[in-house]
Amino acid sequence: MSLDNNSARVALGTFLAGAAVLFSGGEAALADGSTTKFSLPPVGQGKDRCLFKSSAMGQANAARDKLYDLRECDMSGKSAAGFDLSGVIASEANFSKGDFKEVVMSKAYARSSNWEEADFTNAVVDRVSFDGSSMKGAIFQNAVLTSTSFTGADVENADFTEAYMGDFDQKNLCKNPTLKGTNPVTNADTRASAGCRSL
Ligand SMILES: *[C@@H]1O[C@H](CO)[C@@H](O)[C@H](O)[C@H]1NC(C)=O
């Protein structure tokens, strides 16, 4: 392994560990959905890395034996149902119409991606940042959405029926101007499904 790979791995490991020191800047940051800045390693080469792989070791704390990098991958329409995708770097990629039912996705970096009509029914989505992503028509029925953020994400037509989220996250979601519409699959009213108090 080259020194560069090593440094990248150390940087990501730190990001996943929860109290990251930014790779170049040296500022402290929390690795959860509300973090504003991450420093990511360079995008991995080759599309053979574009596969859904369940973590055999990480579970809730996102430990992986190596970098799980799905950046710039076209995963649209693919199924990861039941997989542990914890720690995945899933930005700038296409996950539209993907099957994420019952996945465990803890500490993932899922910004600026296409998650349109992705189905996260019964999933555990913990400390994930979907900031700036398109979540149009995504389904989060009965999902756990703890410390997961949708800042600047397009959540039109998404379904949050029976999703569990903390008050803070729910307040933020309710402030999202795109929280409207009706899910084309479940017919759920988006805003009502998120349990927002007022319109
Ligand atoms: C993503 O996948 C969907 C479904 O296959 C496709 O319609 C869309 O054009 C793709 N690309 C992007 C950049 O969203």
Side-chain angles (χ1 to χ4, degrees), residues 13-190:
T14 316
F15 146 66
L16 296 174
V21 172
L22 288 181
F23 194 38
S24 46
E27 298 165 52
L30 290 175
D32 64 32
S34 54
T35 305
T36 54
K37 270 168 85 182
F38 286 120
S39 184
L40 297 172
V43 179
Q45 296 303 300
K47 296 294 181 199
D48 52 343
R49 68 189 167 79
C50 293
L51 281 174
F52 284 127
K53 284 175 289 198
S54 203
S55 171
M57 59 188 287
Q59 297 93 31
N61 242 356
R64 281 191 174 260
D65 52 356
K66 59 178 198 256
L67 195 85
Y68 188 24
D69 187 1
L70 293 181
R71 280 175 293 174
E72 298 175 13
C73 291
D74 180 5
M75 309 302 280
S76 60
K78 297 209 167 105
S79 175
F83 281 21
D84 183 342
L85 300 177
S86 298
V88 66
I89 303 180
S91 51
E92 318 278 347
N94 196 344
F95 300 95
S96 71
K97 298 186 163 69
D99 184 353
F100 299 97
K101 286 197 265 311
E102 294 175 26
V103 295
V104 174
M105 200 164 146
S106 184
K107 291 185 178 174
Y109 187 86
R111 294 184 187 177
S112 306
S113 277
N114 180 345
W115 300 92
E116 292 173 17
E117 293 173 49
D119 188 351
F120 286 91
T121 298
N122 297 333
V124 176
V125 181
D126 169 59
R127 289 166 290 177
V128 173
S129 169
F130 286 113
D131 297 2
S133 285
S134 179
M135 318 300 299
K136 280 181 104 157
I139 300 172
F140 289 98
Q141 280 197 0
N142 200 42
V144 173
L145 290 175
T146 40
S147 298
T148 286
S149 67
F150 295 94
T151 306
D154 185 347
V155 290
E156 189 172 355
N157 302 338
D159 180 359
F160 295 94
T161 303
E162 298 294 324
Y164 173 78
M165 57 192 121
D167 290 347
F168 177 80
D169 302 313
Q170 189 188 24
K171 268 184 200 140
N172 280 337
L173 181 60
C174 290
K175 280 187 214 153
N176 188 317
T178 65
L179 189 75
K180 58 187 180 187
T182 305
N183 188 274
V185 176
T186 64
N187 291 320
D189 179 273
T190 297

